[in-house]
Amino acid sequence: MSTKPIDALALAPHAANPMLSRPYRVQKVRQETPDTFTLELEPEDKQPGMTFAPGQFNMIYAFGVGEVPISISGNPAQPNSLVHTTREVGTVTRAMRQLDVGDSLGVRGPFGVGWPVTESRGADVVIVAGGIGLAPLRPALYQLLAARKYYGKVVLLYGTRTPPDILFRRELQQWHSRFDLEVHVTVDRATGNWRGNVGVVTTLIPRAPFDPHSTVAMVCGPEVMMRFTVQELEKRGVALENIHLSMERNMKCAVGFCGHCQYGPTFICKDGPVFRYDRLQPLLAVREM
Ligand SMILES: Cc1cc2nc3c(=O)[nH]c(=O)nc-3n(C[C@H](O)[C@H](O)[C@H](O)COP(=O)(O)OP(=O)(O)OC[C@H]3O[C@@H](n4cnc5c(N)ncnc54)[C@H](O)[C@@H]3O)c2cc1C
């Protein structure tokens, strides 16, 4: 029997070098909405899966096509199944959608600072999501619900353009039936047999059941939606330092080196993507470069 010590870095070289992709295999593909799909992935090297914090993202490499940042949308308590929910908008995301079960892609990560889930213990938590913005927030919800007794009210406000754009429908229904979670969904425009709320997601904020003086808000969606959401939360009396937003900016290295997502001293990739609103305010005024 060999007595050679096992070289952990030889087994997992990606752990030492954040620029090195680790190969993952597609376990499951699920079409969520007409333009959005979820991939469930497992590491090809059969080593333990990825531990991550809610709100963190990975760089996903579609071999021969390119690499893009995508948030993790799965359950942090189940690290052996890596889950990403992606909207097909261009070259790389289209290549990702064309993958089948058994196909490979490269994953670097997890990167960035996520949602302040543990730090919010003792407070009410309101989650406001627009469209695909629910994907980066889903791990936060899983974590909140896993430690439910440590929080006051937990409220999810979710808006999409039309009913077919609603993500994670089955899960939303399950969450809706829980008595310890308040879920309100709205659509900008009703189609089909939709009988629910109609109007942008900010219209749900004035009557949402949370105590603004003891609330942490986590917000993700299109930038315009996040701006109006902050205004409404502020009107309700939520302190700006208790509002957290996730920012999307073009990035390449994801480790604060290349400067693609740099604004002055701040890197979206490593100081974010989740920021406290009062620290983010100056950046929101700067358009994508
Ligand atoms: C930290 C972070 C986390 C992210 N998490 C997710 C996620 O969980 N799920 C997800 O789907 N996306 C997420 N994104 C956005 C995702 O990275 C981009 O959609 C992706 O890089 C587009 O690459 P592409 O090659 O497919 O498109 P490209 O070929 O680069 O772009 C094609 C066209 O689409 C436009 N475009 C690019 N991005 C978007 C966009 N986000 N919305 C609308 N139009 C766009 C471009 O301007 C261009 O006109 C995240 C981005 C960041 C920075």
Side-chain angles (χ1 to χ4, degrees), residues 1-278:
M1 200 170 72
S2 164
T3 53
K4 255 174 105 177
I6 295 171
D7 183 346
L9 286 183
L11 283 176
H14 50 83
N17 183 353
M19 299 307 289
L20 210 56
S21 281
R22 181 180 181 190
Y24 273 71
R25 200 185 308 281
V26 176
Q27 274 179 307
K28 227 182 244 177
V29 182
R30 196 168 39 250
Q31 193 70 35
E32 302 281 359
T33 73
D35 64 1
T36 301
F37 60 97
T38 293
L39 297 181
E40 282 183 35
L41 309 168
E42 62 177 346
E44 283 190 2
D45 55 20
K46 302 288 178 210
Q47 296 299 310
M50 179 183 289
T51 51
F52 67 95
Q56 284 194 300
F57 67 95
N58 281 317
M59 296 300 291
I60 305 287
Y61 178 35
F63 293 124
V65 183
E67 194 181 45
V68 288
I70 302 289
S71 304
I72 305 171
S73 64
N75 191 337
Q78 293 167 9
N80 285 330
S81 178
L82 181 61
V83 184
H84 285 285
T85 301
T86 305
R87 189 146 63 98
E88 214 179 313
V89 293
T91 321
V92 179
T93 49
R94 203 172 304 129
M96 286 169 64
R97 178 61 191 94
Q98 277 155 14
L99 295 172
D100 281 324
V101 171
D103 287 344
S104 296
L105 39 68
V107 178
R108 291 194 291 127
F111 296 118
V113 175
W115 304 106
V117 179
T118 314
E119 299 83 332
S120 305
R121 286 186 176 199
D124 288 357
V125 177
V126 59
I127 288 180
V128 191
I132 193 159
L134 184 57
L137 281 162
R138 187 168 68 161
L141 257 168
Y142 287 138
Q143 212 169 63
L144 285 162
L145 294 176
R148 183 63 190 84
K149 65 178 179 190
Y150 296 110
Y151 300 91
K153 297 242 165 50
V154 179
V155 180
L156 168 63
L157 308 177
Y158 180 42
T160 64
R161 286 193 187 137
T162 65
D165 297 317
I166 294 172
L167 278 185
F168 312 137
R169 268 171 182 269
R170 222 180 32 183
E171 236 169 347
L172 278 169
Q173 270 158 9
Q174 286 165 3
W175 289 335
H176 189 65
S177 63
R178 289 180 68 127
F179 60 86
D180 58 355
L181 173 66
E182 189 84 28
V183 178
H184 296 280
V185 180
T186 184
V187 296
D188 297 352
R189 202 159 35 82
T191 57
N193 57 0
W194 179 255
R195 296 277 174 272
N197 296 304
V198 178
V200 291
V201 71
T202 47
T203 58
L204 300 174
I205 294 172
R207 50 204 162 94
F210 58 86
D211 172 5
H213 304 296
S214 148
T215 285
V216 174
M218 305 180 194
V219 185
C220 189
E223 231 161 276
V224 60
M225 166 264 173
M226 294 201 288
R227 279 175 218 265
F228 284 110
T229 297
V230 171
Q231 278 179 21
E232 283 301 323
L233 290 168
E234 200 183 1
K235 265 195 231 163
R236 276 281 307 259
V238 180
L240 293 182
E241 65 264 27
N242 289 335
I243 302 176
H244 302 261
L245 313 182
S246 185
M247 292 295 289
E248 270 192 20
R249 287 289 187 270
N250 281 331
M251 53 181 69
K252 291 281 173 224
C253 74
V255 290
F257 185 70
C258 73
H260 263 82
C261 66
Q262 182 176 4
Y263 294 84
T266 307
F267 290 82
I268 304 291
C269 64
K270 72 179 177 72
D271 302 315
V274 175
F275 291 91
R276 254 172 61 173
Y277 180 74
D278 56 334

